Amino acid sequence: MKITDHIKKANGRTLFSFEIVPPVKGKSIQELYNNIDPLMEFKPPFIDVTTSREEYIYKEKDGLLDKKLTRTRPGTLGICASLKHKYNVDTVPHVLCGGFTKEETEYLLVDCQYLEIENVMALRGDARKEEKYFTPTQGGHQYATELVKQIQDINEGNYLHDTIETSDLSSFCIGVAGYPEKHMEAPSLQSDLKRLKEKVDLGADYVVTQMFFDNQKFFAFVEAAREMGINVPIIPGIKPIAVKQHLQLLPQVFRVDIPQDLIDAVEACKTNQDVRQVGVEWAIQQSRELREYGVPVLHYYSMGKSDNVEAIAKELF
Ligand SMILES: Cc1cc2nc3c(=O)[nH]c(=O)nc-3n(C[C@H](O)[C@H](O)[C@H](O)COP(=O)(O)OP(=O)(O)OC[C@H]3O[C@@H](n4cnc5c(N)ncnc54)[C@H](O)[C@@H]3O)c2cc1C
């Protein structure tokens, strides 16, 4: 079922969902199941599965460092299929511009059709670690807008090199990213919102936001988006802080601000277990206020261990 239909069916009730990251290549999927099992009690209608870009790894060979380009966390679509089968839940693979040619994207989408995966999250992806700026893959897309267009074209039977005349067209429900504190490369929030509007105009059905820790930023973002004519559901992404290093890491990687009250509470913690508790309490408070505001879904970034998301869900769902 499409995410937008799940939202309609909920009839104003706020839904619970979360995002997971595939395990490192070679690790068993069982650990992922162990983390997801306790969260299924809260009946998520969908689970997102991230895609990681290829990256350079260095291996010593004959005294020299051998540089190889590899994907350390492959398997997004396999995991989506496996979770759908095991838990009877909708899964949303993240589809990236970076690292994929248009043809590879087309084949991935064909696989999604066969697996009856109806939702995809269309993203540009970040620059590779050693690159300062995002460089499009040869034969791939530069911006998420182009990816949205390719998916929408397929929904209309227009594949890259042929038009398929069929009454059995795909009808992917397309999610895109939004940034309450603007994307790090955007010159202003307003120009970033214009780009978001382009994605929606090209066929995106809903928006999931980057993490944020101050709800006022989300409320202002939604208002500005609505003023601009972005009328699709906007789903807040919530990340419970879990370790002290997040105070530096999250602003550095995601360019998000952390409110002083939260910084003070984390800094006062003696152990990482205390930090985890502070993160859970902050996320519960944020979630309650967002639910009151009427968000359609509360979407959590679980990033591995799920005990904190479980603690939050227990209070809310
Ligand atoms: C909910 C969510 C899930 C994510 N999941 C993943 C994941 O699984 N894997 C992963 O690698 N990354 C993921 N990311 C990170 C994302 O890939 C990065 O934030 C990336 O840098 C931007 O992706 P985007 O789709 O927002 O790009 P875009 O929408 O293409 O925007 C990128 C930048 O370009 C600007 N821009 C857009 N169009 C144009 C144009 N025509 N001309 C000039 N500028 C333009 C935008 O303002 C923005 O600054 C996720 C992010 C979010 C919020």
Side-chain angles (χ1 to χ4, degrees):
M1 192 161 138
K2 292 181 180 188
I3 305 304
T4 44
D5 289 336
H6 279 297
I7 292 172
K8 273 185 214 141
K9 198 174 143 208
N11 209 6
R13 184 173 52 89
T14 299
L15 300 169
F16 164 71
S17 73
F18 57 93
E19 173 186 294
I20 55 146
V21 179
V24 171
K25 187 165 50 191
K27 289 249 168 166
S28 128
I29 198 171
Q30 189 54 47
E31 201 180 319
L32 197 63
Y33 292 153
N34 295 346
N35 273 312
I36 292 175
D37 281 345
L39 300 180
M40 295 317 288
E41 187 193 321
F42 308 102
K43 308 213 172 345
F46 64 94
I47 301 173
D48 274 54
V49 184
T50 64
T51 295
S52 304
R53 282 200 69 164
E54 76 286 23
E55 57 186 289
Y56 281 110
I57 56 160
Y58 296 87
K59 295 258 169 193
E60 200 179 320
K61 195 178 168 196
D62 305 329
L64 293 170
L65 281 181
D66 198 19
K67 189 177 170 190
K68 289 273 180 259
L69 198 57
T70 184
R71 225 172 266 281
T72 53
R73 293 177 184 271
T76 300
L77 197 57
I79 289 172
C80 283
S82 145
L83 298 186
K84 190 170 157 63
H85 176 71
K86 182 173 166 67
Y87 297 110
N88 192 21
V89 66
D90 278 307
T91 46
V92 186
H94 289 193
V95 181
L96 301 185
C97 301
F100 296 87
T101 64
K102 293 173 199 170
E103 277 77 9
E104 284 166 334
T105 299
E106 182 168 290
Y107 306 147
L108 182 92
L109 292 165
V110 170
D111 281 340
C112 286
Q113 289 170 15
Y114 295 147
L115 291 166
E116 296 178 356
I117 288 173
E118 291 176 74
N119 303 281
V120 289
M121 186 78 187
L123 299 147
R124 189 196 68 177
D126 282 321
R128 279 213 308 262
K129 274 181 197 146
E130 70 286 354
E131 288 174 343
K132 198 153 181 210
Y133 303 104
F134 176 85
T135 332
T137 297
Q138 207 178 4
H141 297 297
Q142 169 142 27
Y143 293 111
T145 39
E146 297 163 19
L147 182 54
V148 171
K149 178 153 187 335
Q150 182 180 5
I151 302 167
Q152 197 52 40
D153 280 348
I154 289 184
N155 280 345
E156 289 162 16
N158 298 317
Y159 289 75
L160 287 173
H161 308 301
D162 32 19
T163 297
I164 313 266
E165 304 263 342
T166 167
S167 55
D168 194 19
L169 290 172
S170 71
S171 127
F172 287 112
C173 176
I174 309 169
V176 288
Y179 301 84
E181 298 178 62
K182 93 169 181 67
H183 182 257
M184 62 183 92
E185 294 159 30
S188 72
L189 185 56
Q190 195 66 9
S191 77
D192 204 26
L193 272 166
K194 275 193 192 160
R195 302 305 183 190
L196 181 59
K197 172 86 163 55
E198 284 168 13
K199 292 193 269 193
V200 172
D201 288 346
L202 283 164
D205 297 287
Y206 69 100
V207 176
V208 183
T209 76
Q210 183 56 280
M211 66 182 73
F212 57 91
F213 297 92
D214 175 355
N215 284 349
Q216 295 311 316
K217 296 203 166 146
F218 175 81
F219 301 147
F221 172 75
V222 173
E223 249 174 60
R226 299 303 183 220
E227 260 170 41
M228 199 168 267
I230 298 170
N231 292 317
V232 297
I234 301 181
I235 299 174
I238 300 160
K239 157 105 189 101
I241 283 197
V243 288
K244 243 183 200 176
Q245 292 91 307
H246 278 162
L247 291 185
Q248 283 78 42
L249 199 69
L250 301 179
Q252 193 189 356
V253 177
F254 301 104
R255 307 294 160 91
V256 291
D257 275 353
I258 303 190
Q260 193 57 45
D261 285 354
L262 179 54
I263 299 172
D264 292 344
V266 170
E267 280 179 346
C269 290
K270 296 219 161 41
T271 65
N272 266 337
Q273 199 44 45
D274 296 344
V275 177
R276 239 175 145 70
Q277 188 53 31
V278 165
V280 164
E281 282 164 17
W282 190 273
I284 290 173
Q285 207 183 320
Q286 258 196 293
S287 305
R288 286 211 170 106
E289 199 184 13
L290 289 163
R291 189 166 62 180
E292 246 167 63
Y293 181 76
V295 298
V297 183
L298 287 162
H299 185 72
Y300 296 92
Y301 296 118
S302 82
M303 298 192 175
K305 282 191 182 168
S306 64
D307 60 305
N308 50 2
V309 177
E310 184 187 358
I312 297 162
K314 261 193 185 134
E315 288 295 317
L316 288 144
F317 297 96

